[in-house]
Amino acid sequence: MTTWHRNEYILKGVFLGLWVFFALQVPGSPSEAWIDIAWVVGWVCAGLGIGLIAGTALQLSRGMRPWHNWMAFPLMVLLESPTFIYGGIIAGLIVGVFSGTAAAEPWGSQLAGIFGLTFDDIKHATSKALAADDPMKGKLPGDWLGYCAVGGAVLGFALYRFRQQEDTTRRFWVGLGVAALMVYLADQYINRVPGLDSPAARFNLGLYILFGLPFFYLLTFCGESEESEVEIMTFCAALGVGLHLMGFAKQFPGLGAAAPFLIPVTLYFVYATRIMPGLRVFKHVLRGYTYMNLGHLVLAIQFFRRALELDPRSPLANQGIVALHNNLTLTQIDSDARLVEALDFTLCLDRATALLMPAGTVPTPNQRAEAERFLSLVEQKKPAYLAQIDYLRIISHMHAKQYDVAADTLSRLLNPETPGYHPVVRKRVLFDAWDLALRLHPRLVERLGWDELNKPGRRMEAIAATERKLAVEPNNPAAKEYRTVLYSQLAEGEFIAASSTGLPKEFAYEYVEQLGLALVDETDPDRRERGMGYMRIAGRGLPDRGPGIFFKLAQVYEKHGDPENAKKAYESAKQVGLAVEPRNLSNEQWPFYTDALRKLASIAEAKGNALVADAEEAKARGDEAGAAGRTAEARVHFETAIDELRQYLADKGKAALEAYRKLAELNAKIGDTMNALLMMETGLTYSSTDADLLKKKDSYYYSIEPERLEKVKDKVTRWFDVSYCVKKSMSVLNTKDGGADLLDWASHLSTLARIMKPTSNGVRLIEARVLMRKGERDAGVKILEDIREAEKGSGEEQDAWYATTKLLGQLYLEEFSRPDLAIKCFSDYKDYHKSGADTVYQLARCYEAQGDTASAIKFYNAVTAYEGHTLYWDAKEALRRLGKTD
């Protein structure tokens, strides 16, 4: 904002201050009030009239004539003469106010006499009512002239500072609040002002305030500073105060007591949001047209641009600035250096376009020359537009029949490596440039033509230009024809070269996919391969659908016996899926991605198996080095397959059980038994009865080396199945006629279990049994006795403790001839829920061996209570042997 803008706000404040002073002069009667109003308002109107006359003279001196536009002329006088309007209104108000003061009586009386009045008629009412020695002298409003003038100036500066607030939303709501606050304060405190204690006095004050509002709005309207919420806030605040003082609510009870408050608030909201934005634009547009008609083009451009800043869609502003540029002549430009800097060069180019491509005719040499001067001007001042300038020069050269020059310029424009072209500007004209080279003008087609597309990068640029054209004009016939031809000629290598810095965005990937689908099932290998290329391009450019496109491509390669390219297609499906992130794939595409992973794993495993077979053949031939090399290579392929399946599981592939089965096999093939075991155990969580996995479990546990398990036991505790080792060992040891191999198996499982749980009752039990089977009976019995001395525990630990107790009882009775110890063991075992008649029978045998016949008979009799038991007849025979008969 300028210094004059600040002065405008201060003058508005001074106007308000003086008008408030005038309004506070409350005459004693209505007749005196009207004289007072007529006197002051008359002088203000006179000042306004003088200002309008001066403003009219100024506009006439500038060349404006009212008969050119009778409606616009008065508005322009107001808008373009703010100094005269402000000066006239403020001067008139000063005369009206000061002439009524006591100090102005010498000249005020003469002035009043001119209009047939006396000084008493125009003298301030409060001064009339007081004598010189009245104690209220100096305390009533009639003596506040200095305060009101200074206060008004301060208010104006405050309004200026508030106007500088950049946040328009905040300014709007603060203004609304201030307007409402002023009405509230008037309601609460106006009665305390001396001389305003009567309804008539307050009515007159409100009436006086309302009379001043049109003049305040006129100052706002004609000011150079843009109208804002500050002025309408002040206006509405004064309106609300005036309505309240006049008793508006009482005089119009149907509107409600809140009417003096709601009317200005509503007016503020409607004016600030609906009227003021358009009015501000209109003022600038009106000034722009006026200055354009006067030939002051720089000022006109400035006003049009400001209007477009406020409302970029304003039709009047857009039409005005376009009309200004369309009517420019080089004579005007050459005569005003400032105009060159103010011009919109895009509109200058539009002007050159209009000269070179007049509707329905051919440009004249003079038009071409003038267009060239515009083009040279833009080239000099705005070289970024060089591409558009060259395109228009091509048009000019063709009209001048300078076909070689036109072709050279067009070739330079079509070359993506030509320096100096701004990429955005070049893109705007590239389709039209290609249209010239390929179709529109036969002489240019002869010199350039379709061969131009075979140069590096040209076809892809032509495709991009075509796609941009179709995006704007979907039914453009030339663009549709170019799309068909350009894509049919496109080689995959051209696309790859254009993708070196990123995938082309202006490219019809869906269209290319359809081209590919139409060709991939062709019997002609060349056409089929072309279709494959299209599919690869589509897969890269449509990542959301890439897995499906590449999977389809891989299936076609497999169908035609091309495993290498099939693998590459599966790899591409995987890479696209990872780039998109599997969780972002659609339900349709996700299976293609996961199936590609399984396919890649299968391909890698097959290669690994083939290399293993080759290694065996090499070994059979005695080629140890060749066998080692192939084995190492096979391992790499197996590891690749493992990685693919791990990725499959990480991305939640549905065939998890089969994936874990295959991972177990692959890890076993590379000798990683521990991971094979982990994969197998995880697979069993999906199906605990899977026969194949259970078979693998026997194999993998048998293959684990105790030394390796010792190193990693802390890491595998969570999933290592100690219970399996115990149960399987027990099962093997219970096998009748078990050979050395079975004993070795049980011993191995026992060792693994002891590493994982060395203090477990079950683990120590199988360890003891293995030792005893190996002939180390003393060591085995020692472990059994240690178990019996330990805590029973619960669950499987308790079961193992009782099994140990029973086994010790049998050993004490049958091998060590210690029936006394055997009795303790079987007595404890008798408390076990699995004990029965056989335990009672063993107790009877112990007592018999100890010589306690009575106890033996007692327990044998207890066995005979189970008539169906297998030991029933053995107990009967023992009773007869002991002399106990029925």
Side-chain angles (χ1 to χ4, degrees):
M1 299 183 74
T2 65
T3 302
W4 172 246
H5 293 159
R6 180 199 64 197
N7 294 340
E8 280 187 357
Y9 276 99
I10 293 175
L11 289 173
K12 290 174 190 174
V14 170
F15 171 84
L16 289 173
L18 293 177
W19 199 272
V20 168
F21 172 79
F22 156 63
L24 287 172
Q25 313 313 306
V26 184
S29 66
S31 61
E32 292 180 343
W34 284 112
I35 291 174
D36 204 16
I37 291 173
W39 179 256
V40 175
V41 171
W43 280 107
V44 172
C45 290
L48 173 60
I50 294 172
L52 288 174
I53 292 171
T56 300
L58 175 64
Q59 300 311 316
L60 290 173
S61 69
R62 291 176 173 175
M64 286 186 64
R65 297 295 181 264
W67 50 84
H68 291 163
N69 191 325
W70 290 102
M71 294 183 64
F73 184 79
L75 291 174
M76 280 307 302
V77 171
L78 285 173
L79 293 175
E80 291 304 302
S81 309
T83 305
F84 296 135
I85 303 301
Y86 270 76
I89 290 177
I90 299 298
L93 182 57
I94 290 173
V95 172
V97 169
F98 274 85
S99 61
T101 62
E105 184 174 356
W107 59 270
S109 59
Q110 295 178 15
L111 192 60
I114 296 173
F115 298 97
L117 300 173
T118 65
F119 182 72
D120 287 339
D121 292 329
I122 65 171
K123 189 176 182 180
H124 297 320
T126 49
S127 297
K128 298 176 187 178
L130 300 176
D133 57 350
D134 195 300
M136 292 298 292
K137 190 74 172 177
K139 298 181 179 179
L140 292 179
D143 302 298
W144 293 358
L145 178 57
Y147 298 123
C148 288
V150 174
V154 172
L155 173 63
F157 186 75
L159 294 177
Y160 166 73
R161 295 295 296 170
F162 183 37
R163 174 63 179 84
Q164 290 180 307
Q165 171 62 244
E166 296 290 340
D167 189 343
T168 55
T169 302
R170 180 182 179 189
R171 200 166 63 204
F172 172 83
W173 290 109
V174 170
L176 183 63
V178 170
L181 177 63
M182 294 302 295
V183 179
Y184 170 78
L185 292 175
D187 178 51
Q188 297 296 317
Y189 299 104
I190 199 67
N191 293 339
R192 302 184 184 184
V193 177
L196 298 179
D197 51 354
S198 68
R202 289 195 295 275
F203 180 87
N204 288 339
L205 175 60
L207 183 64
Y208 282 25
I209 291 174
L210 294 185
F211 269 117
L213 292 182
F215 297 105
F216 178 78
Y217 185 76
L218 189 59
L219 293 175
T220 299
F221 181 82
C222 73
E224 279 191 9
S225 61
E226 287 182 356
E227 187 177 354
S228 69
E229 296 84 0
V230 174
E231 289 83 1
I232 190 62
M233 170 194 77
T234 308
F235 183 94
C236 290
L239 175 63
V241 171
L243 293 176
H244 175 73
L245 292 173
M246 293 175 65
F248 186 81
K250 295 179 181 178
Q251 296 181 35
F252 300 94
L255 297 177
F261 177 81
L262 293 178
I263 289 175
V265 169
T266 303
L267 175 62
Y268 176 86
F269 186 85
V270 172
Y271 187 89
T273 59
R274 303 296 180 186
I275 299 174
M276 185 177 67
L279 186 59
R280 288 195 299 186
V281 173
F282 173 74
K283 291 178 184 178
H284 289 297
V285 170
L286 184 60
R287 286 173 171 141
Y289 274 105
T290 300
Y291 283 114
M292 181 173 69
N293 292 331
L294 293 174
H296 301 316
L297 301 185
V298 175
L299 287 173
I301 290 173
Q302 291 173 356
F303 283 118
F304 282 134
R305 281 181 177 165
R306 180 54 184 162
L308 290 171
E309 286 177 10
L310 296 173
D311 182 9
R313 295 179 296 179
S314 171
L316 287 175
N318 279 296
Q319 291 168 14
I321 198 166
V322 170
L324 185 151
H325 284 78
N326 285 343
N327 292 313
L328 276 175
T329 64
L330 290 174
T331 302
Q332 291 173 310
I333 296 174
D334 293 340
S335 63
D336 190 346
R338 295 181 305 153
L339 180 58
V340 175
E341 303 301 326
L343 288 176
D344 185 326
F345 292 104
T346 59
L347 294 176
C348 288
L349 290 174
D350 291 343
R351 175 64 175 151
T353 303
L355 290 168
L356 291 172
M357 292 184 276
T361 184
V362 176
T364 65
N366 289 337
Q367 287 176 316
R368 294 200 308 272
E370 187 172 0
E372 176 57 33
R373 293 179 69 184
F374 272 107
L375 296 177
S376 298
L377 172 67
V378 177
E379 182 179 12
Q380 178 185 0
K381 297 296 181 179
K382 203 72 172 180
Y385 288 105
L386 181 59
Q388 191 170 353
I389 294 168
D390 277 355
Y391 173 75
L392 292 173
R393 280 175 173 158
I394 293 167
I395 303 295
S396 180
H397 293 321
M398 287 194 303
H399 286 305
K401 303 185 184 306
Q402 297 173 341
Y403 301 120
D404 290 335
V405 178
D408 290 342
T409 306
L410 181 56
S411 178
R412 186 170 63 251
L413 180 58
L414 295 177
N415 186 356
E417 297 179 359
T418 300
Y421 289 145
H422 191 285
V424 175
V425 178
R426 181 171 176 269
K427 284 181 179 180
R428 286 205 296 259
V429 299
L430 197 55
F431 177 82
D432 294 329
W434 277 112
D435 205 17
L436 284 174
L438 302 177
R439 183 180 67 92
L440 284 181
H441 204 288
R443 298 298 181 88
L444 291 180
V445 174
E446 289 175 5
R447 289 164 170 78
L448 299 174
W450 291 92
D451 289 341
E452 193 75 13
L453 290 168
N454 296 326
K455 295 179 180 180
R458 304 294 174 88
R459 199 181 322 275
M460 284 298 297
E461 278 214 326
I463 287 174
T466 301
E467 293 302 329
R468 287 193 296 272
K469 188 69 172 179
L470 287 171
V472 179
E473 301 178 32
N475 296 318
N476 185 288
K480 292 168 72 173
E481 180 182 351
Y482 286 143
R483 171 186 270 187
T484 301
V485 176
L486 290 171
Y487 284 108
S488 67
Q489 297 174 346
L490 179 66
E492 187 179 9
E494 291 177 297
F495 176 85
I496 293 173
S499 304
S500 59
T501 57
L503 284 173
K505 295 180 180 179
E506 295 159 330
F507 193 90
Y509 293 99
E510 293 87 352
Y511 180 76
V512 168
E513 180 188 10
Q514 296 305 314
L515 291 177
L517 289 173
L519 293 173
V520 292
D521 293 325
E522 289 279 347
T523 56
D524 183 347
D526 293 335
R527 288 174 58 80
R528 185 170 63 246
E529 181 54 36
R530 187 164 189 79
M532 298 287 201
Y534 285 139
M535 293 289 283
R536 286 190 291 269
I537 292 172
R540 293 188 185 97
L542 300 171
D544 291 341
R545 292 168 47 204
I549 293 173
F550 282 115
F551 196 88
K552 166 71 173 175
L553 193 61
Q555 289 180 319
V556 174
Y557 278 124
E558 287 181 337
K559 176 182 175 181
H560 293 281
D562 190 348
E564 286 302 317
N565 278 320
K567 179 189 174 185
K568 291 179 181 178
Y570 285 129
E571 282 283 359
S572 297
K574 168 191 170 182
Q575 295 303 326
V576 171
L578 290 174
V580 175
E581 294 190 14
R583 67 174 181 274
N584 295 329
L585 290 172
S586 66
N587 292 335
E588 177 187 357
Q589 294 297 316
W590 181 76
F592 291 121
Y593 165 71
T594 54
D595 287 350
L597 292 173
R598 293 183 69 189
K599 283 282 190 178
L600 288 170
S602 178
I603 292 171
E605 182 186 15
K607 287 187 176 180
N609 290 337
L611 287 166
V612 168
D614 290 346
E616 291 176 353
E617 291 180 3
K619 192 173 183 179
R621 295 193 304 269
D623 185 3
E624 295 293 337
R630 288 175 175 79
T631 300
E633 193 176 348
R635 181 185 179 91
V636 172
H637 287 290
F638 289 141
E639 289 174 344
T640 299
I642 289 171
D643 291 339
E644 302 294 357
L645 289 175
R646 283 178 175 169
Q647 187 68 51
Y648 175 85
L649 291 170
D651 294 328
K652 299 180 173 54
K654 291 184 177 180
L657 175 60
E658 295 308 315
Y660 281 115
R661 187 194 313 279
K662 185 58 67 176
L663 279 170
E665 295 173 359
L666 290 168
N667 278 288
K669 287 179 179 181
I670 64 174
D672 190 351
T673 309
M674 196 63 69
N675 273 314
L677 185 62
L678 172 59
M679 297 298 103
M680 177 273 302
E681 289 288 2
T682 308
L684 285 172
T685 62
Y686 289 87
S687 177
S688 59
T689 60
D690 188 284
D692 178 64
L693 289 178
L694 291 173
K695 183 178 179 181
K696 285 180 169 60
K697 186 168 188 172
D698 290 342
S699 173
Y700 296 160
Y701 272 96
Y702 184 71
S703 301
I704 292 176
E705 297 177 357
E707 294 78 9
R708 186 182 178 194
L709 181 62
E710 185 71 47
K711 294 177 181 179
V712 299
K713 64 179 181 178
D714 293 335
K715 297 179 181 179
V716 303
T717 300
R718 183 174 57 86
W719 53 265
F720 193 90
D721 194 350
V722 177
S723 177
Y724 161 82
C725 294
V726 172
K727 292 178 180 178
K728 179 59 71 171
S729 295
M730 198 69 72
S731 173
V732 171
L733 292 170
N734 290 339
T735 301
K736 293 182 179 180
D737 302 325
D741 290 341
L742 289 179
L743 180 59
D744 181 63
W745 186 10
S747 176
H748 180 75
L749 293 176
S750 168
T751 302
L752 299 181
R754 185 178 70 250
I755 292 171
M756 299 305 298
K757 289 187 176 181
T759 61
S760 167
N761 292 338
V763 172
R764 291 192 293 170
L765 173 58
I766 61 170
E767 182 184 6
R769 291 193 61 187
V770 168
L771 289 172
M772 293 173 67
R773 286 283 295 272
K774 287 182 176 180
E776 301 176 26
R777 302 189 68 80
D778 291 342
V781 171
K782 176 65 171 60
I783 293 174
L784 293 174
E785 288 176 339
D786 290 341
I787 295 172
R788 178 163 166 71
E789 294 298 323
E791 295 290 333
K792 295 179 183 179
S794 60
E796 293 182 351
E797 289 296 286
Q798 186 183 69
D799 292 341
W801 188 89
Y802 277 113
T804 300
T805 299
K806 180 180 179 181
L807 180 58
L808 274 175
Q810 292 172 343
L811 291 171
Y812 287 146
L813 176 62
E814 296 172 0
E815 291 190 21
F816 298 115
S817 300
R818 292 293 307 272
D820 55 327
L821 296 178
I823 290 172
K824 291 180 180 180
C825 289
F826 286 122
S827 295
D828 288 342
Y829 188 79
K830 189 171 177 292
D831 296 332
Y832 185 41
H833 67 276
K834 292 184 179 181
S835 67
D838 54 345
T839 304
V840 176
Y841 182 81
Q842 295 299 335
L843 281 169
R845 288 182 62 206
C846 291
Y847 282 114
E848 182 180 0
Q850 196 176 28
D852 187 349
T853 303
S855 295
I857 291 172
K858 173 184 173 183
F859 282 99
Y860 281 134
N861 275 328
V863 176
T864 60
Y866 303 93
E867 293 185 3
H869 198 275
T870 55
L871 294 174
Y872 174 82
W873 294 108
D874 291 341
K876 282 287 191 180
E877 178 63 27
L879 287 171
R880 283 194 294 271
R881 186 174 62 249
L882 296 175
K884 178 68 175 176
T885 58
D886 295 335

